[in-house]
Amino acid sequence: MSASSMNMREPWWSAAKMLWVEKHVTLTFHVEDGRQLDDKSVSGSLGIEDLNLFLQRRGFQLSPYLSDVTSVDGQEASEAQQNQATPIALNEWLSHSSCHCRFKTPDGSGVTVVGFFTVDDIKAEYPMQDMLAAGYDLSYARQVVNLINHNLETLRQDLGLPLVAAAPNWVGGAAPIDCLIHGGPALPPLPLPASDGQHTGAWDTTLPDLKDSPIATKNGKGVTVFVLDTMPELPTNPDATTNAITEAAQRAGGNNKLLQMVAEQMNREQSPFIKFSYQPLCSLLQENAENQMVVGRDLNGKQYAFGMPDHGLFVTGIVRELAPEADIEYIRVLNDFGAGDCYTLINMLEWIHGRMSRIDPRTGQQGDLFNKPVVINLSLVMTPSDENLFTYWHASSGNAYGQNTLSMAYDLATLRAPLQRAIQRLSECGAVIVAAAGNDSNTPELAGRIGPRYPAAFPEVLAVGAVDRDGEAARYSNYPKLPAQRNGIATYGGGIPTRRDIQRDEVDALIGLYSSQSYPAFEGKNPPMPEYPAPNANGWAYWSGTSFATPIVSAVAARVLEHIQPMNLPARHVAAEVMWVLTTPEGQQETLGSSLSVQSELGVSLLRAEQVHPGQVSPSEPIPVEAVTHD
């Protein structure tokens, strides 16, 4: 991360909370006959002009959203796109890939289309008297989304629109300043003290429950694992001979064998490889944006913004260690502060979906991952929690459901439809999607333990909660499943250390890769505390959160995929098979050889993961005092 991108112009405590991108609307359509999308008539634009007329009569107007970057393959947009100098006609929105994503069903007939639009207000000839659904609030996005969703049946039947739902462009983060986004890791990273020579340069993670399992001999061979996350800044020059990863590996030397392995496998053609894609993000998410978007929490659970470009590297290192022969595609979808949006995430999921399809629409050829095993690691959250969504969406817009909980549940589902439809199409292609349950529980904003965040809460996703080193539910971890679902599991994610734990180097947290040469303050203070330099160049850090429990499960899922490959299951059954193996006693007994224990508080199976810690190898230096702030 560049020095400039680490700077936050305003103190974190003054930040306004941001849950969606204002004036952005996402529309989801589904057509059974994909040929309709090639029709140049009105139906070929999916009736968007009729929908716009409906909105214009009520004081709003849609325009296709043209991103200022191209979000696939990490290629920057053209200068024309960046300047957005040439708006496109509304009825041509399907002709521009920047404005929409397409997800074909596995048989190639039906197509789900997710369209991206901006919305503006216009003068209506008469004040509308049917605007109760819009709530008369100041958010254009919320008004338009509610107006469409509360009139879906009319729009479908009277206008014949194949419209599934409207939603805002939700923002989220690794699980402006001016805007503080929900999500983020459980706490900031903490440096590991240097070893006294007894350490061999690796902090091995073991999985005791798999010791005598057929999975123990598997290593993810033939499986592709996608990590969608933050990424240390990499040079845009393809001829560059060094970068943040190789330089960190050089500094660490023999003190970090895992970092050496990652640097060696970086962007090579030979399998197993780790392909880094430093994808440029839209201007809204750029670190030097007028309104910086940030996430994070401090030691006390308070929302606190800090730079975390190594969040994704930490995740990638865990996958590499536990699935050493899997191919990893590590792609940047979050900014250096851990913030992202649904637009960027859905576009990346569309790109992966194309590669898993019989015909990749971007190449016209068979997708290179068609009928091949794929895991997608999402150590991030998008959309507010159910607990917060009612407060910030429904109550704030004047909508009240009273006792009609079914109507509210349906409305919540429509607000998340674009992301869920993308995930459903990937699951049908055989992708195993593993996501963090989130770190929002027992915080100043939410007392007690809450349900999983999205996308982890979708039934198609394998959701991961966290436990501490004693196997107890981590204080911060959300429940990894909703009632009546069986898509949750828990594993080691670390605890929340006290100041005494930090001073004595008795930190209960995962140990993983860290390339930056500085660390954020561990506690949010007023005035904000400065960063402090890394005490050594070993490239190891402590970090806790469901974000880091998730790649443990992703790596095990890759092993399971390798194990079941000889079964030649139809693609549509693969994700369900892996979920059955990891979350049910029957599946565990049949495939792993024995059932996992149950973590009683979280109510899911517990996959034990253990890691040697510095206290067991006599560190030669304490954690620097700068890491522990004082009153």
Side-chain angles (χ1 to χ4, degrees), residues 172-327:
I177 230 169
D178 303 343
C179 292
L180 187 63
I181 295 172
H182 56 93
L187 70 165
L190 188 69
L192 212 69
S195 169
D196 63 357
Q198 299 179 39
H199 184 239
T200 61
W203 300 99
D204 295 333
T205 301
T206 59
L207 304 171
D209 294 319
L210 303 184
K211 181 179 179 182
D212 299 318
S213 164
I215 304 302
T217 62
K218 305 301 179 184
N219 46 35
K221 187 176 180 63
V223 180
T224 299
V225 180
F226 287 91
V227 175
L228 309 185
D229 215 294
T230 70
M231 184 180 291
E233 186 174 11
L234 298 179
T236 57
N237 179 7
D239 298 323
T241 57
T242 63
N243 55 61
I245 309 302
T246 58
E247 291 169 2
Q250 185 176 12
R251 290 193 300 270
N255 292 306
N256 197 323
K257 293 181 179 179
L258 181 58
L259 187 55
Q260 302 301 326
M261 181 187 302
V262 169
E264 178 186 350
Q265 297 178 3
M266 183 178 186
N267 294 331
R268 73 181 186 185
E269 295 300 321
Q270 175 189 349
S271 181
F273 54 71
I274 306 175
K275 292 184 178 178
F276 284 64
S277 179
Y278 189 79
Q279 174 179 286
L281 303 177
C282 66
S283 58
L284 291 169
L285 294 173
Q286 290 174 6
E287 291 77 12
N288 61 355
E290 182 177 354
N291 293 314
Q292 293 173 316
M293 294 191 187
V294 298
V295 302
R297 293 188 181 278
D298 74 353
L299 179 65
N300 302 310
K302 296 186 301 183
Q303 289 189 315
Y304 159 58
F306 56 89
M308 58 183 83
D310 281 312
H311 184 277
L313 180 65
F314 199 105
V315 168
T316 298
I318 294 171
V319 175
R320 172 45 73 231
E321 180 192 356
L322 295 176
E325 292 201 36
D327 290 329

Side-chain angles (χ1 to χ4, degrees), residues 8 53 70 91 163 196 215 241 248 251 287 318 333 386 402 441 481 526:
M8 292 174 284
L53 179 60
T70 299
N91 64 355
L163 186 61
D196 63 357
I215 304 302
T241 57
R251 290 193 300 270
E287 291 77 12
I318 294 171
V333 297
D386 286 343
S441 295
K481 72 179 184 69
N526 182 25

Side-chain angles (χ1 to χ4, degrees), residues 333-348:
V333 297
L334 304 176
N335 71 11
D336 288 352
F337 296 115
D341 67 344
C342 268
Y343 173 84
T344 302
L345 180 58
I346 291 173
N347 269 273
M348 184 49 60

Side-chain angles (χ1 to χ4, degrees), residues 351-555:
W351 178 68
I352 298 172
H353 178 267
R355 293 179 59 187
M356 296 186 70
S357 299
R358 184 181 300 275
I359 299 296
D360 185 343
R362 296 183 185 276
T363 66
Q365 306 295 319
Q366 179 175 288
D368 64 306
L369 295 176
F370 177 63
N371 278 343
K372 294 182 180 179
V374 168
V375 177
I376 302 174
N377 187 99
L378 299 176
S379 293
L380 51 80
V381 298
M382 287 286 166
T383 87
S385 65
D386 286 343
E387 291 80 358
N388 273 333
L389 192 54
F390 179 79
T391 300
Y392 292 113
W393 186 271
H394 297 108
S396 297
S397 64
N399 291 320
Y401 290 93
Q403 299 300 313
N404 193 348
T405 55
L406 288 177
S407 294
M408 187 175 73
Y410 174 78
D411 203 35
L412 291 176
T414 60
L415 290 172
R416 298 185 174 107
L419 182 56
Q420 184 173 18
R421 287 299 180 105
I423 284 173
Q424 287 172 337
R425 298 291 87 84
L426 277 160
S427 180
E428 291 166 357
C429 288
V432 178
I433 302 170
V434 187
N439 310 309
D440 309 279
S441 295
N442 297 303
T443 63
E445 298 87 25
L446 288 170
R449 201 174 300 281
I450 68 170
R453 297 290 298 276
Y454 293 83
F458 293 134
E460 301 85 3
V461 175
L462 184 53
V464 185
V467 298
D468 61 20
R469 62 163 60 125
D470 297 320
E472 300 297 323
R475 188 180 77 198
Y476 56 80
S477 177
N478 299 344
Y479 287 112
K481 72 179 184 69
L482 294 172
Q485 291 186 2
R486 62 170 182 82
N487 64 320
I489 192 170
T491 191
Y492 183 49
I496 298 289
T498 64
R499 294 185 184 185
R500 184 183 181 193
D501 293 335
I502 297 171
Q503 290 168 333
R504 298 178 60 173
D505 191 28
E506 296 177 352
V507 177
D508 177 7
L510 277 158
I511 299 172
L513 300 183
Y514 194 83
S515 70
S516 300
Q517 298 187 66
S518 62
Y519 283 80
F522 208 55
E523 226 175 346
K525 290 288 185 179
N526 182 25
M529 300 291 291
E531 293 182 348
Y532 59 94
N536 57 68
N538 291 351
W540 294 110
Y542 289 116
W543 222 338
S544 290
T546 57
S547 283
F548 312 119
T550 300
I552 295 176
V553 175
S554 290

